[in-house]
Amino acid sequence: MSTSTIAAPRAATEGARAADASAPALEVAGVSLAFGGVTALTGVDLKVAEGEIFSVIGPNGAGKSSLINVVSGLYRPNAGCVLIGRKSFAAVPAAALASLGVARTFQNLALFNGLDVAGNVAMGLAHQDRTGLFGQIVGSPGARAEEARSLVTEILAFIELTAIADRAPGTLPYGVRKRVELARALVSRPKLLLLDEPMAGMNAAEKADMVRFVRAARDRWGATVVLIEHDIGVVMEISDRIAVLDHGRKIADGAPAEVRDDKGVIDAYLGVAHDDDEIPLELAGAA
Amino acid sequence: MELADFQFFVEVLVGGLLSGVMYSLVAIGFVLIYKTSGVLNFAQGALLLFAALTFVSLVEKGLPFWAAFALTFAALTLIGIGVERAVLRPLVNQPPITLFMATLGLSYIIEGAAQLIWGTQVHALDLGIDDTPIDVAGVFISTFDLVAAGVAAAMVASLLAFFRFTRIGLAFQAVADDQFAAVAVGLRLHRVWVVVWTAAGLVALVAGLLWGARLGVQFSLSLVVLKALPVLVLGGFDSIAGAIVGGLIIGAVEKLGEVYLGPLLGGGIESWIAYAVALALLLVKPSGLFGRPSTERA
Amino acid sequence: MADVAFRLAAPSRRLTSGAVAGALVLASAYLLPPLVGSTYLFEAILLPFLALSLAGLGLNLLTGYAGQLSLGSAAFMAVGAYAAFNFDLRVPGLPFVGSLILGGLSAAAVGLAFGLPSLRLRGFYLAVSTLAAQFFVQWALNKFDWFSNGSASGVVRAPDIVLAGHVIDGPVERYLFALTVVVAATLFAVRLANSQTGRNFIAVRDNETAARIVGVPVLRTKLVAFAVSSFIIGVAGALWSFAYLRTIEPAGFNLDRSFQILFIVIIGGLASIRGAFFGAALIVVLPLALSRLGQAAFGGAFDSGVLELSQRVLLGALIIAFLIAEPKGLVALADRARARALRPFLKPPYGG
C-alpha cells in the first residue's frame, strides 16, 4: 500500500477550518432505509461542512452505497431528510440533482458507451441545456455551447484525458474509465461531489493520480467531497473527517486520527462485535 | 340481471377462462425460456406451428398417434439442440434485445422451414375429442374446452414436478435464480438450455395440438404467440403462476369484451383488447401480477 | 489540448470528408437513375427502397439511438399514409407537402400516445406494448371506413401528388420527389443525432440512471424519441403509399412490415444514419435477386410459394448471422472494407 502514510496533521487542521463554516454543504438527518424486510440504514445523521473531504467507510454491506443513493435521490428513505445547501428534502429529486449543484460517480461504472470520452464528459453539462428541439436542429451553436466546449476542454486536460478524448469508453482500461466518470462529474463544477469507490480496481499509481484529482476538486474548484472508499490508507490520507457505518448505523464520526483509534470501529472491522463480517486487509494492516 | 342473462354471462365467462388456459399453455413456453436465459423467445409461436404441422402430416401419412407424437417430439429436441449450438452459444453474454431479435429471425426460419417441408395447405386435426356442449346447471360448457383445460393443467403439473424433483430441473431453478452463480458452481449452462428449449418444444407440441384441433393446422397458428404476449405482460415474463392467472384473465376479458363491448365498438376488438387490459393494469401496478419487481418494468 | 479544442470547435476532417462523400452520393442519386434507369428500376427497387430507408431511419432514432424497442412501426406508417390522404382529401387548397407534414405530425401524435407506456415500461414489456399500436391501428383502419373515405375494404387509390400546380407523374418524377423528401428527413435526422437531444437519446439508452443524475430529462427524452421517430416513419408511410404503391391499404402495414423495418435497422446497423439505407437496400434487393436466381436455377419448378418461404428462411438466417458475426451491421462491414481499401494510401491515423 503506497498510499497508507497518514497525513493526519494537515487533514486535521483543514478539517477544523472547514468545520467552522456555518451552513453545512450536506446534512443527512435521521435517515432510515429498508428494502422489504431488509434494513439498509437506521437513523443515520451526517453533517458535511463546505469544503470538506468527507469519507464514509465501513465493512461490506454496511450501507455506504445506500447512503450515497439516498443523497443522490436514487432511493427514497423511509424516514429522515436530506439537506443540500439550504434545501431540505424528504426524498431528493434525482432529476434535479445536477441543478442543485450535486454530481456523483458510480461504484460500477456508469458511462455512456455510445459516446466518446469528450461526449461523456460533455453530458455532465446536460442539465444546463435549455435550447428547444427546434432550435437544436436549425440553430447554430450559441455562446452557451462555446462556454460548454471550453469547460469540457479544460476538464479533459486537467484529468489528463485530452489524448483520448475521441476514444470510446469501452476501449479504455478500467482505471481510465473511472477517471472519465470523475471528469463527467466535475465538468459542471458541482458544489457537492459524491464519489462511490472512485479507486476500486486501481493500481497504486492510478490511486495516487485519483487522490490528486479529488484534492483538486476541492482545492481548485471548491467542491465539497463525500467519498466512499475501501482503501483505508487513501481514506486516512485524503479525508478531513470520516464517518464509519456498520450494519446501517453510524458508529463513529470524526477526524481520521480519532476514528482510527475508536474502539467501536476497530471492533466492527476486526469482527469482535459480529464475526460474520469480512475484515478488510487494509485496516487490519493499518490498525 | 335476469337469470337467463346471468347464465349467459357465466357461460361466456367460463368459455373465456377455459380458452384462457390455452393461452396460459402457450405463455408457459415463453416463461421457461425467459427464466433461464432472460430471452423473450418470439419463436415460440413458430415452434408451435412446426410441432402441429409435423404431427398432423405424420398422422396423415398413416402413423399412429403416439408414434407421430414421439417423432415430433424428437424433431423438437433436435431443434432445441440446434438452437443452442447455432444461436444461443455464439450469442452468450449479448444483451437480451439481441437475443430477442435472434429469436425473431429464428421464428422466420422455423415457420418457413415447416411449410417448405410439409406444405402450406390447411390440415384438419381431429384429436377424437367430442365438442358437444354439456349442461352444468343451465350453463353450457364445451367438452373440448374442458379436456383442453385438463390437459393443460396436467402439463403444468408435470412441468412443476419436473423442476421440483429432478436434478436437471433443480439445475434449471439455479440457473433461473442466478446465471453467474450457476456457472460458477459448475452447472453446465449449455445442457440446461438444451433441456429448457426441449421442454418449451414439448409445451409447444401440446399447445399446437390443442390449438390446431380448434383452429385447423395452418400458418396462422403461429400467431397464437401474439395472444400469449399480453398474458406475459400481465403475469410477468418469469412467473409460471403469472402465466396461468394472466391467461385466465386475458381469456375471460377477451370473451366478455367481445360479447359485451364488441357491439358498441363495431366488433373485432379481440385483436387488441387483451393488450389494452394488460397495459392498463401495468400502469396501475407496474410490477405486474407476479413477476419479480425488476428494472424491466421499474 | 489545442487539438481537442479544435476538434470540439470545428467539424473534424472526418466530418468534412463525410460531407464530400454525402454530396457525391446525393449528386449521383439525383442524376444517375433518371439518365440510365428503367421503369422497373424505379418501380421495383428505388421507390420501395426510399420509403423503407426512411422508415428504417425513423425506427433507428427510436431503437438504435434512444434504445426503445418498437414492434409497431407499420402502424405509424399507416397513420402517416391515411392521415396524409385525409388531409389531402378534406382540406381544400392544402398543398401536398402540407398534407405530408400533417400526416407525419399525426403519426407523431399517435406515436406519442403509444410511447407513454415507455415512461413506466422497459425492454420487452415496452416492445409488447408497442404491438398494441400495431393491432389497434390496423383494427381502427379496417373498422371505420371514414379513414378510407368510405371504402369498405379500407383500400383506396392514392390521389396524385401535386406540387405548385404541377402533377408529379411517372416513376422518374415520383422518384425525384421521394428522394427530396428523404434527403430533407435525413438532414433533419443527422442534425438531431448530433444535437444535445441526440446525445440525450444515447445517454438514456446506455445508462438511464446516470442520464437522470446528470440532468437529462429522461421522460421527455423518451417521448421526444417516440414523437420524432413516428413523424419520420409516418412520412415514410405516406411516401410508400403515394409515391410507390399509389394505393393505400391497411394490409400493407401489418406486423410483417414492422418486423421488416426492424430487420432493416439490425442488418444496416443500429444507431447509424447510413445503416437504414444499407439495410433497406439489402431487404429490397434480396428477394428480387433470389427470385431471379430461383428462376435461373430451377426454371418453372420453383413456384412462388416455395420462393416466398425460402426467402423467409434466408431472411431469418441472415438476421441471426448478422447478430452473431456483425452486430454493428452492414455499416461496420462497409467501414472496414473502406479502411482496408484505403490503407495503402493513408498515413497511420494521427494520435491514439
Side-chain angles (χ1 to χ4, degrees):
Chain A
M1 271 313 116
S2 70
T3 43
S4 59
T5 37
I6 295 167
R10 180 186 159 273
T13 50
E14 284 204 358
R17 173 182 59 81
D20 288 339
S22 50
L26 169 71
E27 187 174 345
V28 172
V31 161
S32 295
L33 176 73
F35 303 102
V38 185
T39 309
L41 295 170
T42 311
V44 174
D45 294 301
L46 289 178
K47 254 187 198 158
V48 182
E50 213 172 294
E52 258 188 331
I53 294 180
F54 188 100
S55 292
V56 179
I57 62 170
N60 285 333
K64 306 179 297 282
S65 283
S66 294
L67 183 65
I68 292 262
N69 286 340
V70 165
V71 171
S72 54
L74 297 183
Y75 295 161
R76 184 190 180 89
N78 302 81
C81 65
V82 177
L83 281 91
I84 295 170
R86 296 185 188 282
K87 290 192 180 126
S88 168
F89 302 96
V92 179
L97 197 70
S99 338
L100 286 168
V102 183
R104 67 164 289 176
T105 64
F106 292 81
Q107 184 178 351
N108 303 312
L109 288 162
L111 290 170
F112 307 122
N113 288 317
L115 298 170
D116 62 12
V117 167
N120 268 279
V121 174
M123 281 310 289
L125 299 167
H127 64 285
Q128 294 178 357
D129 191 85
R130 288 285 169 270
T131 321
L133 181 61
F134 187 74
Q136 292 177 22
I137 304 283
V138 297
S140 62
R144 192 189 281 278
E146 290 298 329
E147 194 189 313
R149 264 192 212 105
S150 75
L151 280 174
V152 171
T153 308
E154 184 184 352
I155 211 80
L156 282 173
F158 178 70
I159 310 282
E160 293 160 21
L161 296 168
T162 303
I164 51 165
D166 56 359
R167 291 272 293 273
T171 63
L172 300 171
Y174 188 80
V176 179
R177 284 190 260 173
K178 283 258 175 198
R179 264 164 48 198
V180 176
E181 227 190 298
L182 178 69
R184 183 178 71 190
L186 268 181
V187 71
S188 63
R189 306 279 166 87
K191 294 201 280 278
L192 179 62
L193 180 62
L194 311 170
L195 304 175
D196 193 349
E197 300 200 19
M199 293 156 213
M202 286 189 163
N203 63 31
E206 289 173 327
K207 280 184 186 175
D209 284 338
M210 203 53 143
V211 165
R212 193 156 52 83
F213 297 141
V214 171
R215 282 220 175 95
R218 191 257 314 265
D219 298 340
R220 189 164 160 185
W221 282 302
T224 303
V225 180
V226 175
L227 176 82
I228 292 177
E229 184 47 53
H230 271 295
D231 185 331
I232 301 298
V234 167
V235 169
M236 293 291 165
E237 175 190 342
I238 200 174
S239 310
D240 299 316
R241 276 194 311 133
I242 298 172
V244 186
L245 289 187
D246 185 35
H247 285 187
R249 290 171 194 278
K250 189 176 81 172
I251 58 170
D253 185 349
E258 297 164 33
V259 166
R260 192 184 47 201
D261 299 332
D262 187 286
K263 178 82 169 61
V265 175
I266 296 168
D267 285 353
Y269 270 96
L270 296 183
V272 175
H274 21 69
D275 46 20
D276 54 335
D277 285 321
E278 171 187 336
I279 304 162
L281 287 173
E282 301 91 348
L283 189 80
Chain B
M1 197 187 281
E2 291 186 23
L3 183 65
D5 288 341
F6 181 71
Q7 277 177 341
F8 179 64
F9 172 81
V10 172
E11 211 167 283
V12 172
L13 179 67
V14 170
L17 289 174
L18 289 175
S19 67
V21 175
M22 307 235 309
Y23 293 151
S24 302
L25 195 55
V26 181
I28 285 169
F30 282 93
V31 172
L32 287 178
I33 289 173
Y34 188 86
K35 266 176 98 86
T36 40
S37 38
V39 186
L40 177 61
N41 172 28
F42 204 85
Q44 190 66 27
L47 278 180
L48 197 147
L49 170 71
F50 178 90
L53 205 52
T54 305
F55 176 85
V56 81
S57 303
L58 291 175
V59 168
E60 280 170 11
K61 287 197 188 320
L63 261 70
F65 182 95
W66 288 110
F69 193 92
L71 267 178
T72 308
F73 184 57
L76 288 163
T77 309
L78 284 179
I79 290 180
I81 295 170
V83 166
E84 194 277 317
R85 282 282 155 76
V87 182
L88 296 180
R89 204 176 287 189
L91 287 175
V92 73
N93 293 332
Q94 293 292 320
I97 288 291
T98 305
L99 282 158
F100 165 73
M101 291 181 187
T103 67
L104 210 53
L106 200 59
S107 76
Y108 271 51
I109 297 179
I110 296 175
E111 275 167 22
Q115 295 175 92
L116 277 177
I117 298 169
W118 301 117
T120 50
Q121 65 272 40
V122 182
H123 302 258
L125 175 57
D126 183 9
L127 297 177
I129 308 167
D130 271 350
D131 202 7
T132 45
I134 51 171
D135 185 338
V136 182
V139 175
F140 286 99
I141 297 171
S142 147
T143 325
F144 179 85
D145 281 352
L146 271 181
V147 173
V151 170
M155 184 80 211
V156 172
S158 49
L159 277 175
L160 289 179
F162 174 75
F163 289 117
R164 186 77 39 92
F165 300 118
T166 65
R167 243 172 67 87
I168 189 91
L170 291 170
F172 162 90
Q173 288 291 355
V175 174
D177 287 343
D178 189 340
Q179 224 180 83
F180 291 104
V183 174
V185 297
L187 275 175
R188 271 180 295 174
L189 209 51
H190 298 312
R191 230 182 60 193
V192 174
W193 279 344
V194 169
V195 171
V196 164
W197 273 77
T198 308
L202 182 64
V203 173
L205 174 53
V206 174
L209 294 189
L210 294 176
W211 278 103
R214 174 175 282 176
L215 303 177
V217 178
Q218 56 184 317
F219 174 74
S220 66
L221 208 52
S222 66
L223 300 180
V224 169
V225 60
L226 300 173
K227 295 284 185 195
L229 290 175
V231 172
L232 291 163
V233 167
L234 204 56
F237 287 131
D238 53 3
S239 162
I240 288 183
I244 294 167
V245 177
L248 293 176
I249 293 176
I250 293 292
V253 160
E254 218 179 72
K255 281 278 173 349
L256 291 172
E258 201 180 318
V259 171
Y260 292 100
L261 203 60
L264 301 177
L265 291 170
I269 62 170
E270 70 275 2
S271 67
W272 55 267
I273 181 100
Y275 285 87
V277 169
L279 283 182
L281 185 122
L282 277 193
L283 290 181
V284 181
K285 193 173 179 302
S287 58
L289 289 177
F290 288 91
R292 299 179 211 185
S294 71
T295 51
E296 279 261 307
R297 290 187 290 188
Chain C
M1 180 164 163
D3 178 50
V4 174
F6 169 75
R7 202 185 67 79
L8 288 167
S12 71
R13 243 177 320 174
R14 213 186 125 207
L15 248 178
T16 21
S17 79
V20 170
L24 278 175
V25 169
L26 258 186
S28 39
Y30 272 102
L31 297 174
L32 275 185
L35 283 177
V36 301
S38 62
T39 304
Y40 177 82
L41 179 72
F42 290 107
E43 298 283 11
I45 298 178
L46 291 176
L47 283 166
F49 161 74
L50 284 175
L52 289 177
S53 300
L54 193 56
L57 185 67
L59 180 63
N60 215 346
L61 288 175
L62 181 66
T63 300
Y65 285 88
Q68 312 293 306
L69 180 59
S70 162
L71 303 175
S73 307
F76 306 130
M77 285 180 85
V79 172
Y82 277 93
F85 168 75
N86 278 294
F87 281 115
D88 193 69
L89 180 78
R90 295 170 204 279
V91 184
L94 182 70
F96 181 76
V97 174
S99 300
L100 191 66
I101 290 173
L102 285 169
L105 288 175
S106 306
V110 175
L112 203 60
F114 281 96
L116 284 175
S118 72
L119 305 186
R120 297 192 74 162
L121 305 181
R122 281 179 220 174
F124 297 132
Y125 288 91
L126 177 63
V128 172
S129 80
T130 58
L131 277 177
Q134 180 67 47
F135 297 127
F136 184 80
V137 166
Q138 257 192 304
W139 170 81
L141 292 176
N142 277 316
K143 192 59 43 182
F144 304 110
D145 61 9
W146 183 86
F147 291 116
S148 49
N149 197 27
S151 156
S153 59
V155 182
V156 275
R157 214 188 78 79
D160 288 330
I161 302 171
V162 183
L163 279 188
H166 171 75
V167 176
I168 301 284
D169 195 24
V172 178
E173 288 193 6
R174 275 185 284 122
Y175 165 75
L176 291 175
F177 174 74
L179 180 63
T180 306
V181 172
V182 170
V183 168
T186 307
L187 286 178
F188 171 82
V190 169
R191 291 285 290 183
L192 178 72
N194 292 313
S195 72
Q196 181 65 43
T197 301
R199 288 190 293 274
N200 287 354
F201 283 3
I202 293 173
V204 167
R205 174 196 72 192
D206 286 349
N207 197 315
E208 197 175 313
T209 304
R212 179 171 292 122
I213 290 290
V214 296
V216 171
V218 172
L219 302 185
R220 206 188 73 193
T221 300
K222 285 183 181 177
L223 291 182
V224 166
F226 266 97
V228 170
S229 155
S230 306
F231 175 82
I232 293 180
I233 294 174
V235 171
L239 281 190
W240 177 265
S241 296
F242 282 78
Y244 166 50
L245 287 183
R246 281 177 294 159
T247 55
I248 314 169
E249 46 176 4
F253 302 118
N254 59 8
L255 187 60
D256 262 355
R257 179 80 57 222
S258 289
F259 286 157
Q260 186 184 43
I261 294 162
L262 184 61
F263 290 162
I264 284 173
V265 174
I266 302 169
I267 293 178
L270 283 162
S272 149
I273 300 287
R274 287 173 302 153
F277 293 90
F278 286 21
L282 189 78
I283 288 280
V284 168
V285 171
L286 185 75
L288 298 174
L290 213 67
S291 84
R292 284 281 165 96
L293 210 69
Q295 285 291 324
F298 302 100
F302 214 55
D303 75 55
S304 67
V306 172
L307 185 72
E308 207 191 305
L309 291 171
S310 324
Q311 279 172 9
R312 230 177 148 74
V313 173
L314 192 76
L315 186 59
L318 207 62
I319 298 292
I320 295 175
F322 263 101
L323 289 171
I324 292 172
E326 189 46 87
K328 292 190 173 127
L330 283 170
V331 164
L333 276 182
D335 283 349
R336 269 212 307 279
R338 193 184 55 184
R340 207 169 305 137
L342 291 181
R343 193 173 301 145
F345 307 103
L346 290 176
K347 287 181 291 186
Y350 173 73

